[in-house]
Amino acid sequence: MNTICSLLTRENISLVIAVIGFILSVYNFVHEKMQNRMKINITYKNHFIAEHDHKSITISLAFENLVKNPISISRIYLCVDDKKYDFYWIPQFVLRATQQTNGQVIDEINVHSIPLPFTIEGYGVVGGFFFTKAPQSIYTLESANTSLLVYSNKGIKKYPILMNNTSREG
């Protein structure tokens, strides 16, 4: 009992409080870093290559934020084998859908690619079309080694994608 009482000095209690405070601050720092990291899921739906030049590539993608903090995506590159193609930051025309009755257009929807940069809210999803243009003709991406290089406010990360669903322009 005397040994325990001799350990409960003001200095020893201050030391224990300081050590506990240090451990809690390290835990909070690591926990915040884990919560604030870039953790997204990218879903590839399909892509099409323009028939007129075989250079324009439009890809349908969905970006899902898996953490509570927003993520801002500033640039995306399509990596095909050893080449990188920058996605356009200006929205590009993708398709037009019309509804007609008796030959008269009663509704028209114009779809454009997603402009860069964009923000994905916490646990949110941003999806749509993304457009890039290659300097040379590309006829197929199904057999190529493809990935997305994503630049964000949380860092740079590479996501492999299997581009196995080509749609035909028509």
Side-chain angles (χ1 to χ4, degrees):
M1 188 70 166
N2 248 356
T3 308
I4 294 173
C5 288
S6 66
L7 291 176
L8 294 177
T9 65
R10 184 179 193 121
E11 293 82 19
N12 288 344
I13 292 173
S14 296
L15 177 66
V16 168
I17 290 171
V19 168
I20 290 172
F22 175 74
I23 291 170
L24 287 174
S25 66
V26 168
Y27 169 79
N28 285 337
F29 174 77
V30 170
H31 185 263
E32 179 64 27
K33 282 290 185 191
M34 296 299 287
Q35 289 296 96
N36 204 22
R37 68 176 188 230
M38 181 167 74
K39 191 172 178 185
I40 59 176
N41 182 34
I42 300 175
T43 304
Y44 160 82
K45 183 177 178 187
N46 62 15
H47 71 279
F48 59 91
I49 300 170
E51 291 291 326
H52 66 279
D53 66 356
H54 294 280
K55 294 180 182 179
S56 301
I57 306 164
T58 305
I59 304 174
S60 178
L61 298 168
F63 289 79
E64 179 183 9
N65 185 357
L66 301 174
V67 296
K68 69 178 181 176
N69 295 330
I71 296 175
S72 295
I73 306 294
S74 57
R75 289 186 94 166
I76 306 171
Y77 290 96
L78 173 64
C79 302
V80 180
D81 296 325
D82 59 348
K83 297 176 180 72
K84 287 186 347 182
Y85 307 114
D86 197 2
F87 283 105
Y88 281 35
W89 60 274
I90 298 173
Q92 301 294 309
F93 177 76
V94 176
L95 62 94
R96 175 176 292 125
T98 60
Q99 183 179 4
Q100 296 182 3
T101 302
N102 298 330
Q104 182 181 358
V105 176
I106 59 172
D107 192 19
E108 180 178 281
I109 298 172
N110 293 315
V111 178
H112 292 83
S113 61
I114 302 292
L116 291 171
F118 64 90
T119 300
I120 312 169
E121 295 302 323
Y123 301 117
V125 177
V126 171
F129 296 99
F130 294 85
F131 178 83
T132 187
K133 194 163 193 167
Q136 73 282 351
S137 293
I138 294 179
Y139 294 98
T140 183
L141 293 172
E142 293 167 346
S143 60
N145 182 16
T146 54
S147 62
L148 295 175
L149 188 60
V150 178
Y151 286 69
S152 76
N153 61 332
K154 309 291 183 185
I156 302 169
K157 207 165 184 185
K158 195 171 200 172
Y159 296 90
I161 58 170
L162 180 61
M163 297 180 68
N164 60 356
N165 189 14
T166 304
S167 296
R168 297 291 169 215
E169 190 176 49

